[in-house]
Amino acid sequence: MGLTAREQAGRKIYLEGESPTGREISAEIGAGARLPGSAVPCANCHGEEGRGRPEGGLLPPEITWSQLTRPYGHHHPNGRRHASFSDKSVARAVAEGLDPDGNRLDPAMPRYSMSAEDMASLMAYLQHLEAQGDPGLTESEIRLGVVLPTHGRLGEAGRAMAGLLKAYCDALNASGGIHGRRLELVLAEYDSDLGTGLASARELLARGSVFALLSGLVPGAERELAALAEQERIPLIGPMTPWTWEGEPPGRQVFFTLSGVGEQVQVLAEYAARELHKQGPRVAIIHPEQAGLTEAARAARGRFRAHGWEQVEVLRYERGSFDSEVAARLKRSGTRVVLFLGNEEELAGLMGKARALGWAPYLLLSGTLSARAAAQAPAFLDGHLFLAYSSLPSDEKPEAVESFNRLRAGVHAWERHRVPQVSAYTAAAVLTEALRRTGRQLSRARLLSHMEKLYAFEPGLVPPVSYGPERRVGARGAYVVTVDLTTRTFRPLGGWRALKP
């Protein structure tokens, strides 16, 4: 059901606490504390559907219009009784904190100050709140958007992921779908050489035709895509990204499946603190000036220091300008342990310089960034290379491998596309499980709630994933492996290493 311009304005006020006209909206809480309306929008407590969301030990009441205006009035658990609401008494409750009989509402309920026009818009939206289904959701269909390159350097990988996801949805639909609904993919294609992935995502969401975003590949614009999903209040499940970030989480809407470089290097730091500390008091972290890698280096430094490794030198360089001569300085300073976050070519240069100097450091590396170069390392570094991986072949369950291979058989793809296809399959499996648990009464808000309750779910090809209100990386941790440079093979050093906060 479409919304009028006034109802659209009311929706913005309800969800975001901001006036579309730019007028001020403020909220008073308790004994005079005044905040911007955007700090405490209605949806924060009452939920996007108006049915109440538990918050800090409180259970805000349902505020759907049919509930507010039920003819026999209201009797609350605390004993407060009052008559049915009307549009005028709802407005008074919002502005003054009083029910229709003049009783004070719960002190946790803010009193909002806004213009008469904005209040009228809010009332108009509240009257249609419970009739508003989320975009991309019908009685028979759930439409899922996926942003993938189909042209340019990454076009092959994008087409391989798109084909795998389509085969997954076709197979699921052939078995009856999810609670009687079919999954329908809506592909937002772009050219990776032109870097238009984010623009394609914006165009897709502007059409208002998808319920959630699934998987996806937008190198260099991962943060922006996450911010867009948060802004549009649309779930984004399993975006493929070379790293995640530390500090503030990307938002409530975004769920990663596997750890990225940021988590991998922290696992390496903890491993080194236990196994390599006797190699000396100095450790160096080398990384290009790039947002995700800078934050990964900062997080790793914190882990090193937390384990008593006080002399941690961080060496930054402009992307594309790595100078392998840094090896000579590190050798002179007595540094024996190096966490390196450059690319394959830069790592090869560092190892070549180390060989020329007769310096054999212990190198800590991300499997995401360095696997090929590590496998080709000079033999003198045997036993000195340690890589972190977010998953290993040992995670793969026979039933999931059979299903994956069956889907993959109908998609034209090379073996090098297996990793992105595993990422797409895993994201689809996680989303499918959350949709099943949510049930027939589906909404974006309910889906997010059930995503946050997923615990130790096994997608089948990667480690079990768990989420929570403050956890948005499903398998948060990594494996540590070493490289046997005689056989040129990788050998795990123990099992999964969960990363604690």
Side-chain angles (χ1 to χ4, degrees):
M1 181 186 299
L3 295 176
T4 66
R6 167 154 283 183
E7 291 161 357
Q8 287 279 13
R11 182 175 188 271
K12 182 176 180 64
I13 295 167
Y14 180 82
L15 294 176
E16 302 174 27
E18 295 182 348
S19 170
T21 65
R23 294 188 179 97
E24 181 183 6
I25 295 178
S26 62
E28 186 177 320
I29 301 177
R34 187 165 291 277
L35 300 170
S38 58
V40 283
C42 307
N44 269 18
C45 293
H46 294 287
E48 295 181 20
E49 301 167 293
R51 301 190 186 278
R53 174 190 295 163
E55 185 81 14
L58 301 174
L59 180 59
E62 180 178 339
I63 57 168
T64 58
W65 204 253
S66 60
Q67 173 71 9
L68 289 173
T69 59
R70 62 186 189 182
Y72 45 86
H74 299 260
H75 181 195
H76 296 275
N78 64 1
R80 179 166 58 89
R81 295 173 180 267
H82 59 81
S84 176
F85 279 95
S86 64
D87 54 351
K88 290 183 179 179
S89 58
V90 172
R92 185 170 76 150
V94 171
E96 302 177 28
L98 300 174
D99 68 24
D101 290 0
N103 303 306
R104 286 285 173 190
L105 301 182
D106 191 296
M109 168 69 184
R111 280 86 66 203
Y112 293 89
S113 175
M114 65 184 77
S115 70
E117 180 183 350
D118 285 338
M119 183 65 80
S121 297
L122 178 60
M123 293 304 105
Y125 179 67
L126 286 178
Q127 293 179 43
H128 291 271
L129 178 60
E130 59 193 306
Q132 294 306 307
D134 287 316
L137 180 66
T138 70
E139 287 297 306
S140 60
E141 187 176 79
I142 305 170
R143 292 166 63 84
L144 303 174
V146 56
V147 184
L148 290 171
T150 53
H151 298 86
R153 182 174 56 88
L154 297 178
E156 278 190 358
R159 291 192 295 273
M161 293 172 72
L164 191 286
L165 288 171
K166 183 179 186 305
Y168 182 99
C169 291
D170 288 347
L172 185 68
N173 293 336
S175 65
I178 299 179
H179 299 300
R181 289 186 173 104
R182 294 172 48 83
L183 293 187
E184 184 72 25
L185 279 184
V186 181
L187 179 60
E189 304 178 58
Y190 73 95
D191 188 323
S192 63
D193 294 347
L194 300 178
T196 52
L198 189 62
S200 292
R202 288 196 178 105
E203 290 174 9
L204 174 66
L205 298 188
R207 295 197 294 270
S209 60
V210 296
F211 175 74
L213 292 173
L214 175 63
S215 189
L217 179 61
V218 284
E222 295 91 355
R223 290 169 176 271
E224 291 82 359
L225 181 62
L228 180 62
E230 193 67 19
Q231 174 187 323
E232 297 296 326
R233 294 174 177 264
I234 183 169
L236 170 57
I237 314 298
M240 187 177 178
T241 174
W243 51 76
T244 54
W245 44 86
E246 297 302 312
E248 290 297 317
R252 186 163 187 261
Q253 307 291 334
V254 184
F255 295 83
F256 295 98
T257 51
L258 298 179
S259 292
V261 173
E263 291 81 18
Q264 290 173 9
V265 299
Q266 292 182 72
V267 169
L268 286 168
E270 297 204 344
Y271 175 83
R274 287 192 298 271
E275 304 294 334
L276 301 178
H277 203 284
K278 62 184 178 181
Q279 300 303 324
R282 300 185 61 85
V283 61
I285 301 174
I286 304 175
H287 70 91
E289 288 280 10
Q290 192 170 337
L293 296 181
T294 297
E295 293 177 6
R298 184 183 303 118
R301 181 175 184 271
R303 295 275 174 170
F304 278 123
R305 293 181 66 86
H307 287 280
W309 221 321
E310 296 184 358
Q311 298 183 52
V312 183
E313 183 179 13
V314 179
L315 303 173
R316 308 173 184 84
Y317 61 91
E318 292 294 325
R319 191 175 182 182
S321 62
F322 175 69
D323 185 356
S324 62
E325 292 298 325
V326 70
R329 184 164 73 80
L330 292 176
K331 180 185 179 184
R332 288 195 301 270
S333 69
T335 301
R336 297 289 310 284
V337 178
V338 176
L339 171 60
F340 187 78
L341 299 180
N343 62 30
E344 304 267 3
E345 182 180 351
E346 293 165 342
L347 175 59
L350 177 66
M351 293 188 296
K353 187 64 178 179
R355 178 171 54 184
L357 292 169
W359 174 58
Y362 291 84
L363 292 175
L364 308 177
L365 309 166
S366 160
T368 303
L369 301 174
S370 307
R372 287 193 299 272
Q376 299 166 6
F380 84 102
L381 287 173
D382 195 29
H384 285 232
L385 299 177
F386 303 92
L387 296 90
Y389 281 90
S390 299
S391 66
L392 291 179
S394 57
D395 293 317
E396 299 184 356
K397 304 296 186 291
E399 183 178 346
V401 172
E402 181 181 351
S403 171
F404 176 72
N405 288 339
R406 187 166 55 248
L407 297 175
R408 198 165 182 255
V411 180
H412 177 69
W414 302 99
E415 183 59 25
R416 65 176 176 270
H417 300 138
R418 190 178 192 276
V419 171
Q421 285 185 313
V422 166
S423 173
Y425 178 93
T426 300
V430 169
L431 175 58
T432 298
E433 180 66 15
L435 288 170
R436 286 188 175 125
R437 296 189 187 190
T438 304
R440 180 70 185 176
Q441 300 302 312
L442 181 60
S443 69
R444 288 175 176 173
R446 284 174 56 81
L447 174 64
L448 291 182
S449 176
H450 283 272
M451 280 293 300
E452 291 179 346
K453 294 173 185 174
L454 278 183
Y455 178 77
F457 169 67
E458 294 194 5
L461 300 180
V462 301
V465 300
S466 298
Y467 298 103
E470 302 299 326
R471 176 169 172 164
R472 286 301 187 268
V473 177
R476 191 167 187 267
Y479 295 96
V480 176
V481 307
T482 189
V483 187
D484 184 328
L485 294 178
T486 301
T487 60
R488 301 290 165 176
T489 57
F490 293 89
R491 176 170 57 86
L493 297 172
W496 175 260
R497 299 170 189 271
L499 189 62
K500 296 179 173 57

